[in-house]
Amino acid sequence: HNMQRSSTVGGVSLVPRQRAGLARQAATLVAVAVCAFAVASYYQASAANVGVELLQENTAHAKHAVHRAMHKAMKVVTKSSKLEGEAAAPAVVPAAAHPEGDDYVAEVGGATVWMASTVIFTCGLIGCLFAGFLFYTVSQVSLDSTVEEGESATEVAANKESDEELKEIYEIIREGAQSFLWAEYQICFIFIVAFGTLILVLTSRVSNAVGEGEWQWNIGALTALSFVVGGLTSILSGYIGMMVAVFSNARTAVCAKKLGEAGWTASFNCAFRAGGVMGYSLVALSMMILYILALIYREIFSKYDGPVRSVDYKTLFECLAGYGLGGSSIAMFGRVGGGIFTKAADVGADLSGKVIGVGGQKLDEDSPFNPGVIADNVGDNVGDVAGMGSDLFGSFGEASCAALLIGASCLAIEEAGWIAVVFPLYIASAGLLVCLVTSFLATDIMPVRKEEDIETALKIQLFVTALLMTFVMYPITLFCLPAEMTILGVSDTVTPLGVFLCIAAGLWGGCAIGFITEYYTSHSYQPVRDVARASETGAATNIIYGLALGYQSVILPVVIISGIIFLSFKLAGMYGVANAALGMLGTLATCLAIDVYGPIADNAGGVAEMCEMPSSVRDKTDALDAAGNTTAAIGKGFAIGSAALVSLALFGAFITRCSTNMPAEESLTIKGVNLLSPIVFSSILFGAMVPYWFSALTMRSVGEAANTMVLEIARQFAESKGENSLGKVAAMDFHQRQKYKAELAAKGEKLVKPDYERCISISTQASLREMIAPGVLVIVTPVLAGALFGVESVSGLLTGAIVSSVQLAISMSNTGGAWDNSKKYTEKGGLNGYFPFRDGDPDFDEEVFRKDAENHNGNGCLKQKVNYGSTDTDRTDIKEWLEDLKEKDAARFDKIMAGEEAVTTTDGRKTIYAGKKSNVHAAAVVGDTVGDPLKDTSGPALNIVMKLMAIISVVFADFFMSLNHGNGLFCAGELPGGCF
């Protein structure tokens, strides 16, 4: 009794005392952060009294007082490079009279640095500790079944055998995922070394004050170091996510074995907490590593005039931009390679088992006798978890680097001190704590007790996190930023309130995009149900409806993104756009937890079916997975929106960096880029084509790999002959198979098993081989455009790529998501009762039938007599009736599945059966398989296409400007200075 009680507390095997301590632990962690903040404030005030008096009469005017004091007392040091070995410090001039082009700015003092470091590191450590706590909680779920009171010895032995099989499958999935990641990361390590060397050489070539090229190897070395660190952090992020997901999937399946509410609560909490491990650890680690790099570079780019330190923030953050480049480069390989792996296996297994059939038998999803099923489960981890983790890490790194770099171009932010300069990292720090506090909503305060609670819990989690984040960011923004800022591109003075509105616009715009995405991808709403009902006439109409839905779903998200860009640019220029992107990513820890939860639930369902656990277990995991698909689509909406904003912000940083050494009146920041210029317009068209070229490469790769997978599965079934063959064993039902298994055991033999490793090998080899070409396309294109045709060509290239990628990514992701959930809607029986059986009855009235179908549909309307041939009036579930019919009258069963014989509803209508293994289901599966590479390979990777092209352009901007004053080797541009 005590074991049962503890298993339902918090959803996992925790004793009551542990659950009671959850609130106290959370309160303690928050108290630590508050105390650290108070101590930091005290030291800041003490240090400031020695140098500059801080007149903080109220929060809104606190930083304005610092700004006024610095203008009176602080000095700016003329531009130089500490690393170039200068003999003596340059002359110091008053701040009010510093010459144009000076990049060293006097710092307010060490107290602001100490305070920022305390806050950021405290929040980061709290995030890491909380991730560790969540992992410990998940690890307490045992893979061994507990003996329930009243179980017979036979049931206990069956459970023990099931546990052993579960552990075996768990190990195969873990080893397969590890093997793929290691093979992929070996290629990534080689890429980091090779491309890092290229970065070292090319970014060392910079343009000087008069626009001429010169070599500064220190700049190249630090940029390359940032790239290496970003790449390794991205690898670490993906690996952590993958290992946690693999560790948790079997445990989620075990939790789902519990009966009643306890099973729903335990299985949801296990998957959600496991996702939280990745969410909190990724945000915390990436934030702290980025900040450590910034502190190191701050020391390198510092000069001293007596006690006054001056820092070259501009060059500091230009070198730091390599961190975002490293993260996105690895994310490209992770997303593309993992996406090809998982979808090749998924499409191959689905086509073989559900549509074509193997050995004359259509198999259930995740049947243990489908050779491709383990590769599919491995792919869920390497693609949907490891690849996604690297992708979102890249988004965070690039958004942070863009905001830091653009902020460093604003003198008021530089002079306000380190807190204002690193303000973008305060957004991530606050978001980490907010997500931590709200994480208890879904697991403890409003736990999941039934299927209908799942989507509600996840959506409330997102909404409350965004709401609390809004309230938290307002005082933080007022405190950190100066009261007035002059930002290029904004005619009026920029205020902290304006920056806060940009953050809020990004935060709530992301939520709006997410919930719009849910409307178009969840089978709870009409659009997906329309796609599912289109399967009545075959796969073609299903696909047509799905494509139309995807195109239509682009409209509102693009309107919202456009509105955010307009508002942010008006209020705070490109700095506002960058902070809007960080606002969208402010709830990244929660979004990641929800995103990772989906693949874990999907894997848990696969493990449950492969171990042939009771159908009630699969019902729970299917419900968790369906909600996970919807929330994953919401997460993709966030990712696409933030990618668009990040790319635009990086584009602005690219223009700003290119304009540094140009004549002020001729700079791109003043004159802009002429769209009617031949090179610009041509490059826009070419850039808009790149996402289609990229998508063609990735989708063709999935198709070829899936084709090879289908042929391999067919080969295994063809070569497996005899009584103990894959075809015959797969055709047995569960009880027949158990009986046959016992007979084989008496002879000392074992049941035949497919060669899973061969299918894993096919996916691995295909993904590693095919991920190279798309990666090279995205990385090389902006470098060649800038080197050969100049920065104007790069500007056009980025414009076309961003505009095209946003539309294509939204359409692909939503189309694939709609097809996936329309298949799940079909599998749960949602279409039953909708399709009339047309037998030529002259009295049939289509309109009346459709009207009745709206009120009587689903599996409940097809309840049949208890057994085939029975005269009893009692009715049973259609699934049980069909299983009984299959055993007693296989020919009639086949006719019903093919739609050649009617099934009568409880209200007397003749309908076509439209559940699992029917022709309607087969049409829905075809749509789902077409959508798989759209939503999980090409679509998500397009986020990286626009971000990676933009960050590459930023990193190599100085190199481009050193070639014929930015006009390229072919002198194709029209920038002042002409050709050398």
Side-chain angles (χ1 to χ4, degrees), residues 173 176-177 180 242 246 334-335 337-346 372-388 599 602-603 760 763-764 936:
I173 294 174
F180 170 77
M242 189 275 294
V246 172
R335 264 300 192 188
I340 293 173
F341 184 106
T342 182
K343 291 303 112 179
D346 192 4
V373 69
I374 289 286
D376 183 12
N377 287 322
V378 171
D380 288 338
N381 294 289
V382 300
D384 296 341
V385 177
M388 180 189 61
D602 189 9
N603 250 207
I760 294 174
S763 281
T764 300
D936 291 323

Side-chain angles (χ1 to χ4, degrees), residues 165-345:
E165 192 167 357
L166 180 144
K167 292 176 183 177
E168 181 182 352
I169 293 170
Y170 162 76
E171 285 297 323
I172 294 174
I173 294 174
R174 184 184 63 81
E175 291 174 4
Q178 280 187 324
S179 298
F180 170 77
L181 277 190
W182 174 239
E184 182 182 55
Y185 287 161
Q186 283 179 307
I187 296 175
C188 290
F189 289 139
I190 296 172
F191 169 79
I192 288 174
V193 173
F195 197 61
T197 304
L198 182 66
I199 290 174
L200 168 64
V201 175
L202 296 187
T203 58
S204 296
R205 179 72 176 177
V206 300
S207 60
N208 57 24
V210 295
E212 297 176 348
E214 64 180 25
W215 294 96
Q216 291 188 19
W217 293 100
N218 57 309
I219 303 297
L222 293 175
T223 306
L225 175 63
S226 299
F227 168 78
V228 171
V229 173
L232 295 178
T233 307
S234 182
I235 288 175
L236 178 64
S237 300
Y239 186 78
I240 290 174
M242 189 275 294
M243 293 307 298
V244 170
V246 172
F247 182 79
S248 309
N249 54 28
R251 287 167 170 78
T252 301
V254 170
C255 289
K257 293 171 71 174
K258 298 176 182 178
L259 301 178
E261 292 182 358
W264 288 106
T265 303
S267 55
F268 174 85
N269 284 2
C270 184
F272 185 73
R273 285 173 172 158
V277 175
M278 181 180 185
Y280 293 101
S281 61
L282 184 147
V283 175
L285 288 174
S286 57
M287 177 182 69
M288 288 194 293
I289 291 173
L290 176 61
Y291 186 68
I292 289 171
L293 270 181
L295 288 177
I296 294 172
Y297 288 7
R298 171 177 169 270
E299 294 299 322
I300 294 174
F301 291 105
S302 291
K303 281 182 172 296
Y304 291 90
D305 178 44
V308 178
R309 176 203 289 260
S310 298
V311 183
D312 182 0
Y313 291 116
K314 171 183 166 294
T315 310
L316 187 163
F317 292 119
E318 285 177 356
C319 293
L320 199 62
Y323 183 80
L325 175 56
S328 267
S329 298
I330 299 304
M332 169 61 71
F333 292 115
R335 264 300 192 188
V336 174
I340 293 173
F341 184 106
T342 182
K343 291 303 112 179

Side-chain angles (χ1 to χ4, degrees), residues 6 22 137-138 276-277 314 781 810 873:
S6 66
L22 284 176
T137 305
V138 172
V277 175
K314 171 183 166 294
T781 300
I810 295 174
T873 57

